[in-house]
Amino acid sequence: MNILYGVPGEGMGHATRSKVVIQHLLEQGHEVCVVSSARAFQLLSRTFPGRVHEIRGYHLAYKKLSVSRSRTAVLTLRTAPENLLVNFRKYRELLCGVEFDVVISDFESFSYLFAKWKRLPVISIDNMQIISRARLDVAVPPTERDNLALARAIVRAKLPRSQHYFVSTFFPLPVIKPNTTLVPPIIRPEILAARPTTGQHVLMYQSATNQKDLVPLLQTMPEQEFRVYGFNKEESHGNVQLKAFSEQGFIEDLASARAVVTNGGFSLISEAVYLHKPICAVPIPAQFEQFLNAAEVEKLGYGRHFDTLTADHLKAFLYDVGSFAQALSHYQQNGNTELFRHLDMTLKELPA
């Protein structure tokens, strides 16, 4: 079967998850052509040489630590004409000698529009559709209601009327729309192979690297050891070690961590859940999906959800890591078996 696979360039989580699924499809004997942009394109083109085509994507703009809707809109409008021209040329390029049978999209629009143009079935594989296709079970405060409405509007408009939706999630919710299957998070092989231990350090991933007071804040807890990723520096500040990015080093630090402090990003939270690591989640403001992930962490007893990162919040979280670890010990997931089984079945059932 010839498959066109679309991966957005915004956020490396999409790329690392899609890499796992693409590898599975190739092992099943399918021919896979990938379209992506930005850093995701670079990663995937190194992994699957000759199979990945570069397109132009759209990106979020930030103001301080929040997503700026106005800046994102201006950035999108400014780059849209050139992006559309490049992507239209890519449509024509993909038509040369290739007849696709199906499109799989990880919340990516180019491949979806290509599918609609060519009247191809679309299979959605991502975590974002949980916002629209399941009934939420956490309280949404007034400050998040506009963010929820915006997130739902975006999700509903992204891949409407797809053949099937596979929604990866670490928290089970009631499905409220047809053609929807909840599956466990997609876990990369390096995490599946990791053997978790409980060390003394706390792993921290800080994506918003303009939080300049982070090191002094962590130094107020000299009895705790912190290994901090996100600044891409290799520096030691007493009990705080800033770590330059290394995939192998990060996985080793994650697997041996006592606990994890992160934002509300799905990839790291789902890997921490898989490895049974207590989580302190401080979501980036104005991103409802991050709020939801963090709220579910606290609801399930896997950790704490805070709006801001403070010394008092960290101390409260670390005081209870034992109870969080106990709750996490009941989480079970058999790798990516469930998603692969459902996906293979769905592909076989597509009309010839």
Side-chain angles (χ1 to χ4, degrees):
M1 182 174 286
N2 288 333
I3 300 172
L4 178 63
Y5 204 115
V7 184
E10 185 73 34
M12 289 300 287
H14 294 282
T16 56
R17 294 192 296 269
S18 295
K19 177 181 169 183
V20 173
V21 182
I22 293 166
Q23 185 62 50
H24 170 76
L25 293 170
L26 293 172
E27 291 171 356
Q28 296 302 303
H30 300 293
E31 274 298 317
V32 184
C33 175
V34 184
V35 289
S36 190
S37 60
R39 292 172 59 205
F41 164 77
Q42 296 171 9
L43 169 67
L44 293 170
S45 60
R46 289 195 302 268
T47 307
F48 306 108
R51 295 185 180 274
V52 187
H53 297 258
E54 186 173 16
I55 56 174
R56 293 291 180 89
Y58 301 98
H59 306 283
L60 297 176
Y62 289 87
K63 182 178 182 180
K64 295 185 178 180
L65 300 182
S66 302
V67 174
S68 171
R69 298 177 189 173
S70 59
R71 291 186 181 186
T72 297
V74 169
L75 178 64
T76 299
L77 291 172
R78 189 173 67 239
T79 58
E82 182 182 358
N83 289 350
L84 289 172
L85 179 61
V86 171
N87 289 352
F88 180 75
R89 290 171 180 162
K90 194 61 62 176
Y91 278 132
R92 299 188 63 180
E93 177 184 318
L94 289 172
L95 283 173
C96 299
V98 179
E99 289 293 335
F100 294 104
D101 301 299
V102 62
V103 167
I104 299 177
S105 174
D106 182 348
F107 213 65
E108 194 280 317
S109 296
F110 172 94
S111 54
Y112 173 82
L113 294 173
F114 182 88
K116 292 305 174 183
W117 181 32
K118 300 298 291 180
R119 297 183 179 179
L120 297 171
V122 178
I123 295 174
S124 167
I125 304 178
D126 65 61
N127 62 294
M128 296 291 294
Q129 293 289 342
I130 196 96
I131 295 171
S132 173
R133 309 191 74 81
R135 182 178 297 109
L136 305 186
D137 64 351
V138 295
V140 179
T143 53
E144 288 293 334
R145 288 173 187 167
D146 286 347
N147 296 329
L148 170 58
L150 177 62
R152 275 193 172 142
I154 292 172
V155 168
R156 288 170 177 167
K158 196 69 172 180
L159 302 172
R161 297 178 299 281
S162 293
Q163 184 87 7
H164 202 88
Y165 297 85
F166 292 106
V167 185
S168 56
T169 178
F170 62 91
F171 47 93
L173 295 178
V175 172
I176 59 175
K177 292 190 178 180
N179 305 320
T180 303
T181 304
L182 301 189
V183 295
I186 299 168
I187 304 297
R188 48 187 169 146
E190 296 84 356
I191 297 297
L192 294 177
R195 294 294 176 261
T197 59
T198 304
Q200 295 300 312
H201 67 276
V202 175
L203 175 74
M204 175 173 287
Y205 176 70
Q206 179 66 32
S207 60
T209 53
N210 57 345
Q211 184 167 334
K212 304 299 183 183
D213 62 344
L214 180 62
V215 171
L217 183 153
L218 299 179
Q219 287 177 325
T220 64
M221 292 171 279
E223 72 284 359
Q224 303 289 345
E225 177 189 349
F226 296 95
R227 299 181 187 177
V228 182
Y229 286 84
F231 292 87
N232 203 24
K233 296 178 180 179
E234 198 72 36
E235 297 178 359
S236 179
H237 300 270
N239 65 316
V240 182
Q241 296 180 40
L242 301 183
K243 306 291 288 285
F245 180 75
S246 158
E247 184 174 18
Q248 185 58 39
F250 182 85
I251 292 171
E252 290 175 358
D253 283 343
L254 173 60
S256 60
R258 178 184 175 211
V260 172
V261 180
T262 183
N263 52 39
F266 181 77
S267 291
L268 180 51
I269 287 181
S270 60
E271 290 181 349
V273 168
Y274 180 80
L275 295 172
H276 296 172
K277 302 296 178 180
I279 303 154
C280 177
V282 185
I284 295 174
Q287 288 202 37
F288 181 80
E289 184 253 345
Q290 290 210 3
F291 166 85
L292 177 60
N293 294 333
E296 288 289 349
V297 162
E298 182 156 305
K299 183 176 186 299
L300 292 166
Y302 295 167
R304 293 295 302 272
H305 165 208
F306 296 111
D307 294 333
T308 57
L309 185 65
T310 68
D312 286 343
H313 288 161
L314 278 175
K315 290 174 183 177
F317 162 67
L318 292 171
Y319 182 81
D320 286 327
V321 289
S323 62
F324 303 144
Q326 179 62 29
L328 282 159
S329 68
H330 300 294
Y331 180 85
Q332 299 295 327
Q333 177 180 339
N334 185 16
N336 302 305
T337 303
E338 189 172 342
L339 168 62
F340 291 163
R341 177 172 57 84
H342 285 293
L343 177 59
D344 293 345
M345 187 181 307
T346 300
L347 290 173
K348 288 179 182 178
E349 291 174 351
L350 289 177

